[in-house]
Amino acid sequence: AASAPIAVSNISNLIALKIVGLSLNSYINMMFVPSMIGILTIGLLLYLYFKKDLPKKIPSVPVKWDNTFSRYVQTHPLDVKQQTENNDWKLFKMSFAIVILTRASFFALSPFGVPLELIGMVGAFLLILLRWYKTKTGLSDIVKKTPWHVLLFAFNMYVLVYGLKNVGLNDYLVSNLKPLIMDSPFNATMIMGLLLTILSNLFNNLPAVMIGTLSITEMGLDPHLVQIAYLANVIGSDIGALLTPVGTLATLIWMYILKKHSINISWGKYLRVTFLIIPIGLIVSLISLYFWTTWLLK
């Protein structure tokens, strides 16, 4: 959800940015405030939902040393070894500086026509080069640890959605939605946001954004209305997509990492939280987008 305010935070936000005529800076101008209102709403609701479960102090748990429980230490469930003293903090700071520089370059260089993917590739290459120089470690562990099955799932969803497009899904959406949204920014915001929520949870948010954006660009709408509808698409694909685990790649990877560390989050546990919280956060975000873009930015 927190990837919505800035376009470069999520690949689904970037997919059709140029198609609808938005730059990174204009995206932030229209999107930052309404999406932050939605994020704060979700954060507050999560806090209230889990308030009784949150410990005021992390309990000490026994750690096994030399086959005996000889002492108690503060631990985190994903890192019981507590080996932070072995971290190379100089390497960490240099890597973090490259990440910040790369992010800043997106905004500084994109107005001059430098492709975002080129900037990202240069940043990734610098990180890999720095790592190799400092640790003499190559790419093998990255390749091995990458959750390829999740990426394969996303590719399969692309194929499925393009198949639906080829058999007339886009034409159906254009013909049925155009009369409803062509003269109403409010309808465009709510309908496209809710539609992308449904499509994202059926197919995953990446192909859903493509379908939604292709649909609004084929409706012959006013350019400003196209941009509002696209931003509603983004809210639906970033926030609404969190209803089910298949809605975003981020959720799938998160559940994969937890499972690897023997922390089981079932679909039932996940849905009990999201079906209470996400719809409220989604509606608040979409209404905020409508007021921000049609009233305050006039």
Side-chain angles (χ1 to χ4, degrees):
S3 65
I6 301 177
V8 295
S9 296
N10 192 320
I11 191 171
S12 65
N13 302 1
L14 287 169
I15 284 178
L17 202 62
K18 293 181 180 179
I19 297 177
V20 299
L22 277 172
S23 65
L24 289 181
N25 293 328
S26 58
Y27 176 100
I28 292 176
N29 189 39
M30 297 178 70
M31 189 67 151
F32 187 84
V33 170
S35 57
M36 283 302 300
I37 292 173
I39 291 163
L40 292 173
T41 300
I42 292 173
L44 176 61
L45 292 174
L46 283 170
Y47 171 73
L48 294 175
Y49 184 93
F50 288 108
K51 184 178 180 181
K52 293 182 179 179
D53 300 322
L54 294 174
K56 294 182 178 180
K57 183 179 180 181
I58 298 176
S60 297
V61 298
V63 175
K64 198 171 186 178
W65 299 92
D66 299 326
N67 297 319
T68 61
F69 290 93
S70 58
R71 65 170 180 162
Y72 289 83
V73 297
Q74 294 291 105
T75 65
H76 186 280
L78 297 185
D79 184 20
V80 297
K81 294 182 179 178
Q82 297 283 304
Q83 293 180 341
T84 56
E85 66 273 9
N86 295 327
N87 290 346
D88 186 341
W89 292 110
K90 184 177 180 181
L91 175 60
F92 170 80
K93 292 175 182 178
M94 295 172 68
S95 300
F96 201 72
I98 292 175
V99 172
I100 293 175
L101 181 62
T102 303
R103 300 279 290 187
S105 298
F106 286 136
F107 299 95
L109 299 180
S110 59
F112 298 99
V114 180
L116 295 176
E117 58 271 22
L118 178 60
I119 300 171
M121 289 174 63
V122 171
F125 175 76
L126 290 175
L127 284 173
I128 292 171
L129 187 64
L130 174 64
R131 183 186 188 226
W132 177 85
Y133 176 76
K134 296 285 289 184
T135 68
K136 297 299 185 285
T137 305
L139 295 175
S140 60
D141 62 325
I142 296 176
V143 174
K144 291 177 182 177
K145 293 178 181 179
T146 299
W148 295 109
H149 64 286
V150 175
L151 300 180
L152 182 62
F153 168 81
F155 175 75
N156 292 337
M157 291 299 100
Y158 272 112
V159 174
L160 175 62
V161 170
Y162 263 102
L164 292 172
K165 176 182 181 297
N166 292 337
V167 298
L169 176 61
N170 269 67
D171 295 335
Y172 176 81
L173 292 175
V174 170
S175 61
N176 285 275
L177 296 182
K178 182 178 179 179
L180 299 175
I181 69 177
M182 63 181 304
D183 296 319
S184 173
F186 181 79
N187 286 355
T189 302
M190 301 304 296
I191 290 174
M192 295 310 299
L194 295 175
L195 174 65
L196 262 291
T197 295
I198 296 171
L199 291 178
S200 295
N201 285 286
L202 287 176
F203 305 123
N204 188 256
N205 63 344
L206 301 183
V209 166
M210 297 179 68
I211 287 292
T213 304
L214 290 173
S215 298
I216 60 176
T217 55
E218 293 173 5
M219 292 180 187
L221 304 175
D222 174 83
H224 183 64
L225 190 57
V226 169
Q227 293 176 353
I228 294 175
Y230 167 69
L231 295 176
N233 282 355
V234 170
I235 289 177
S237 66
D238 284 358
I239 295 178
L242 297 172
L243 267 178
T244 66
V246 299
T248 70
L249 281 179
T251 308
L252 291 172
I253 294 173
W254 171 71
M255 296 188 80
Y256 168 76
I257 293 173
L258 291 180
K259 186 177 180 181
K260 281 187 64 177
H261 290 84
S262 302
I263 300 176
N264 181 38
I265 302 293
S266 67
W267 273 54
K269 290 180 181 179
Y270 184 91
L271 296 177
R272 280 196 294 271
V273 178
T274 57
F275 269 74
L276 283 175
I277 292 174
I278 297 304
I280 300 173
L282 174 68
I283 297 301
V284 168
S285 300
L286 291 174
I287 292 176
S288 299
L289 175 67
Y290 166 72
F291 283 116
W292 181 255
T293 54
T294 56
W295 289 10
L296 299 181
L297 291 183
K298 272 189 176 181

